[in-house]
Amino acid sequence: MTETLQLLGRARAAAAAIATANTKTKDLALNNVAGALCRASAEILRANAADVEQAQGHISDTMIDRLTLTPARIAGMAEGLRQVAALPDPVGVCYERIERPNGLLIEKLAVPLGVIGIIYESRPNVTSDAAALCVKSGNACVLRVGKEAWRSAHAIVSALREGLSMVGLPEDAVVLVEDTSRESANEMMRAVGYIDLLIPRGGAGLIRACVDNAIVPCIQTGTGVCHIYVDAAANLEMALDIIENAKTSRPSVCNAAETCLVHAAVAEAFLPRLRERLIAKRQQDGLVPVELRTDAAANACIGGTPADENDFAVEHLDYILGVKVVSGVQEAMAHIQRFGTGHSECIVTEDEKTAALFVSCVDCAAVYVNASTRFTDGGEFGLGCEMGISTQKLHARGPMGLKELTSYKYVIHGTGQIR
């Protein structure tokens, strides 16, 4: 048996204890974990500095930003743990209660999934977010991080396990896979009997590999080719604010905007202002300017880098924005249907009928009217933190919080009934 399978076996053995832990114990564990994380801050920062140093020159600057931890980010991770502790416990919730004519009482109760595997790349904060959600929802957690963030994740997991042991919960309810080779990821994808749900968090390649190759249940998450459509009836100043936020506040995340679609009726008025806001003003303020990759109509208006089809199909995760002029909402929706990934889409308009049409017809996890796509996030949705953004429809869609990490079972109470 390989080292990875042995680790999965330990997590499976710990699953029963975490599944049956009461709410008070789980909440105390999470608060203890938050304290342990803060106490280990210096050690975590040293490990992270080594990860960042090794990654320099091998990944982009925006990905370096995702990898980098600071005292403020560690404090934010600890606060996320406390917020999850404060949320209602999803385990044991009765979704439905049915009383049958024969006297049977049937209850549909929320229960933990069991063992959840998470394969992720260079975001150390995912380590604590995933563990927090798993513990609160009564699941054991198997973490497999990319080699770029392994030292950081190892230091974080050590603190997490310390917090669990303080309340008598098994440390193996949270385990980190030591092997960062592709084989360990493949083993997790094939780990029938060990893993009840596999969640990939990362780039399109990782997600596709899991969806194509996993024989355990797998959630498709993350890839976000997100669009903002500026309608003819848009408040253009609002549109500029929304686009700047959605593109530049953190371009390396999946809810960042990748394409701006502009109604032809406002293109001449809007596009020069967009160029001014995203390029000239940002340069003036000492910020990274956004490269605009423009279709023929937008290029004729403001220049930019001429775009090909691939520029509208790719998740840039960088200071790059595709810009296309469209004839109206129908063409915008057709473009989104073709190039979107089912993540987050936005319309900026003052026309309620156009907004309603967009909301009804655009098929994705989160549809926005006059707000930045950057809000597609478990914390922003009031879910505490999140396990990932599901872009599929079964069994979860959108930000995955506590409820999405449970299943249900029917419990039937009788008085001797026979059929």
Side-chain angles (χ1 to χ4, degrees):
M1 181 179 288
T2 67
E3 183 179 321
T4 298
L5 285 180
Q6 289 175 3
L7 194 71
L8 294 176
R10 285 163 45 195
R12 172 58 69 187
I18 195 72
T20 55
N22 61 39
T23 303
K24 182 178 179 180
T25 300
K26 292 187 291 187
D27 291 348
L28 182 59
L30 290 175
N31 282 302
N32 285 340
V33 165
L37 200 65
C38 292
R39 290 191 298 274
S41 179
E43 182 180 345
I44 293 168
L45 288 171
R46 282 194 297 271
N48 182 249
D51 281 338
V52 171
E53 181 180 5
Q54 185 167 317
Q56 293 284 357
H58 299 286
I59 59 178
S60 69
D61 289 344
T62 54
M63 298 305 288
I64 289 288
D65 176 66
R66 292 176 75 162
L67 173 61
T68 302
L69 291 176
T70 64
R73 287 184 177 179
I74 292 175
M77 291 159 60
E79 180 58 27
L81 287 158
R82 297 186 188 100
Q83 289 175 2
V84 172
L87 292 172
D89 191 340
V91 179
V93 170
C94 183
Y95 293 134
E96 194 171 359
R97 183 183 173 96
I98 304 165
E99 293 187 32
R100 299 296 297 150
N102 63 2
L104 286 178
L105 173 62
I106 303 171
E107 294 179 315
K108 183 178 180 181
L109 302 179
V111 296
L113 286 165
V115 177
I116 297 177
I118 305 97
I119 301 178
Y120 58 112
E121 294 174 338
S122 58
R123 293 185 67 181
N125 65 294
V126 172
T127 309
S128 61
D129 288 355
L133 290 168
C134 284
V135 169
K136 181 73 180 219
S137 57
N139 295 291
C141 176
V142 179
L143 301 157
R144 192 275 187 191
V145 70
K147 64 180 184 296
E148 294 86 0
W150 190 87
R151 296 180 185 88
S152 306
H154 185 268
I156 293 167
V157 167
S158 295
L160 300 179
R161 288 164 62 88
E162 176 189 331
L164 291 174
S165 65
M166 290 171 67
V167 296
L169 290 176
E171 292 184 351
D172 286 339
V174 177
V175 296
L176 177 69
V177 175
E178 301 283 327
D179 181 7
T180 60
S181 71
R182 185 173 297 178
E183 182 52 35
S184 67
N186 290 335
E187 282 188 277
M188 290 179 69
M189 295 179 206
R190 301 190 298 264
V192 175
Y194 293 94
I195 289 179
D196 296 290
L197 180 67
L198 182 65
I199 303 174
R201 285 193 64 172
L206 168 63
I207 295 164
R208 177 50 53 197
C210 289
V211 171
D212 287 349
N213 298 309
I215 59 175
V216 297
C218 180
I219 291 285
Q220 185 167 335
T221 67
T223 306
V225 180
C226 304
H227 301 77
I228 296 176
Y229 166 56
V230 181
D231 186 48
N235 177 321
L236 298 187
E237 188 64 28
M238 178 194 292
L240 290 171
D241 290 342
I242 288 171
I243 293 167
E244 182 176 28
N245 176 263
K247 179 71 266 182
T248 68
S249 62
R250 203 166 182 194
S252 62
V253 293
C254 61
N255 57 22
E258 300 292 7
T259 299
C260 174
L261 304 171
V262 182
H263 195 297
V266 295
E268 289 189 8
F270 179 73
L271 288 175
R273 294 176 64 183
L274 181 69
R275 180 182 177 86
E276 172 70 19
R277 177 72 75 93
L278 295 186
I279 299 178
K281 186 175 186 303
R282 288 181 62 80
Q283 288 175 326
Q284 179 183 326
D285 294 341
L287 301 171
V288 179
V290 176
E291 178 188 348
L292 302 179
R293 296 190 180 175
T294 49
D295 79 333
N299 192 268
C301 184
I302 57 168
T305 304
D308 58 26
E309 271 201 0
N310 185 62
D311 290 310
F312 294 113
V314 69
E315 186 183 30
H316 298 292
L317 302 176
D318 206 342
Y319 291 98
I320 299 169
L321 182 69
V323 182
K324 179 179 176 64
V325 176
V326 295
S327 58
V329 67
Q330 294 291 349
E331 185 180 353
M333 293 189 301
H335 180 97
I336 291 168
Q337 182 177 3
R338 181 178 180 188
F339 293 105
T341 53
H343 195 295
S344 302
E345 310 293 359
C346 168
I347 182 172
V348 184
T349 186
E350 300 295 298
D351 187 318
E352 292 184 3
K353 289 185 178 179
T354 302
L357 178 66
F358 189 89
V359 168
S360 296
C361 295
V362 170
D363 185 16
C364 63
V367 187
Y368 290 84
V369 179
N370 298 329
S372 170
T373 57
R374 288 281 286 111
F375 286 103
T376 307
D377 174 87
E380 296 294 337
F381 279 18
L383 306 177
C385 44
E386 71 184 34
M387 187 63 79
I389 310 291
S390 171
T391 54
Q392 63 185 44
K393 300 179 183 180
L394 295 175
H395 75 284
R397 196 178 198 191
M400 295 180 63
L402 294 171
K403 181 180 177 181
E404 287 73 30
L405 299 183
T406 62
S407 182
Y408 57 82
K409 66 182 176 185
Y410 290 96
V411 178
I412 302 92
H413 301 275
T415 55
Q417 290 89 337
I418 60 174
R419 181 174 176 177

